[in-house]
Amino acid sequence: MCLRVKFYPPDPAALKEEITRYLVFLQVKRDLYHGRLLCKTSDAALLAAYILQAEIGDYDPGKHPEGYSSKFQFFPKHSEKLERRIAEIHKTELIGQTPETSELNFLQKAQTLETYGVDPHPCKDVSGNPAFLAFTPFGFTVLQGNRRVHFLKWEEVTKLKFEAKTFHIYATQNEDRKIILTYFAPTPEACKHLWKCGVENQAFYKLEKSSQVRTVSSSNLFFKGSRFRYSGKVAKEVMEQSARIKRDPPEIHRAGMVPSRSCPSITHGPRLTSVPRTRRRAVHISIMEGLESLRDSAHSTPVRSVSHGDSFMSSRGHLEDRSEASTSGVISDETYSPSDSVLPTPVAEDGVELPSARHLNGAPCSIDEEKELEARALKEGQGGEFRPGLLNIYGASKNTVEACLEQILVRVLGKTF
């Protein structure tokens, strides 16, 4: 089981306890490694230098030989020139910074980037061009190629709607300009998942109180659509409650950095364990083709605008200057292409197959390797030995999960329930 941050703080410095900032630091560092947090080379070098300073301390010629920064992997890929720049910043600009200071500086730099806190969802625009739709603490954004082609603040978004694979975003800017953005998700289930994420993020960051969340009465038999709504405290309530914490600061056990891997448990191969086995090859091809075409795509999504006559936490200056929906801005020297393993892949509840996710040396197996492992496991299972694997039940119905657990108990205990 892997825990992660769901709602990123708009201002990490406002978090009261150091342990909370440290957990957010770990998540954003992981985003950097996954390719979720993508930025220009100069910013990437500074972020990596902060990580080095936080985790190995000041530069020491006796402990850190020439090329020491190359032993650590901060990004999906980087050059020798970038490694030299990371080491240069670490040696000369960050001397004396404590881990706490370096982590806070890292977060304050990361929050200024266009891809901070994004939850990327692969989609296509009305022209068929691949894109990533993302929700951030500041609003809704669309990434294509190495550019951010759209950005809408949460207070500008008026409605989120989905119909089968089609996702619509309605927004109003400058009181008289209405905007409708339309995108297409790979499946209806992925589109509904995208909509749910948008509903939760908008409610969490935009509303002043959780009581403002509009719910649908279960007695309304004529209501058409999903009854899903955000449930829980909103950002402002969370921060107010955090400010009232009165306790001794919890002790923080910082984990040292592992050479050659900033996050040793992360792999960059496609992770398709939540997709039925019969669809895996098609989904794998679809994802890889989409990411490949995204590298060459620089098209902006068409915007339908109509002129009519008739949140939480005020962001700081650099956040107020974020571009409007029709403005295109370069976010990096490279194409935005986050690791496939962190992209959402929900499936339909009906007929969900729950395959075991098996890995070889920490990396996902190929389809042929997986079949060979399954045949071997079946043969061993017939011999009376049960070898449990990792079970992915994301998107499964309650009945499916119960049936699966019952099968496991039968095989382990030899009893029928």
Side-chain angles (χ1 to χ4, degrees), residues 195-212:
W195 174 79
K196 285 184 176 181
C197 291
V199 168
E200 289 185 321
N201 277 270
Q202 185 179 25
F204 183 79
Y205 292 112
K206 181 179 180 179
L207 300 181
E208 296 285 327
K209 299 178 181 179
S210 55
S211 58
Q212 294 176 332

Side-chain angles (χ1 to χ4, degrees), residues 25 29 45-59 64 68-74 83 86-91 94 97 99 102 106 257:
F25 164 77
K29 183 182 73 169
L46 181 58
L47 291 174
Y50 280 136
I51 295 175
L52 270 184
Q53 182 66 24
E55 301 199 5
I56 68 175
D58 290 340
Y59 170 72
H64 308 135
Y68 69 100
S69 64
S70 64
K71 298 181 182 296
F72 305 96
Q73 188 165 349
F74 308 97
E83 292 172 356
I86 294 171
E88 180 184 347
I89 296 175
H90 179 235
K91 292 177 183 178
L94 306 181
Q97 284 194 13
S102 296
F106 172 88
M257 210 170 187

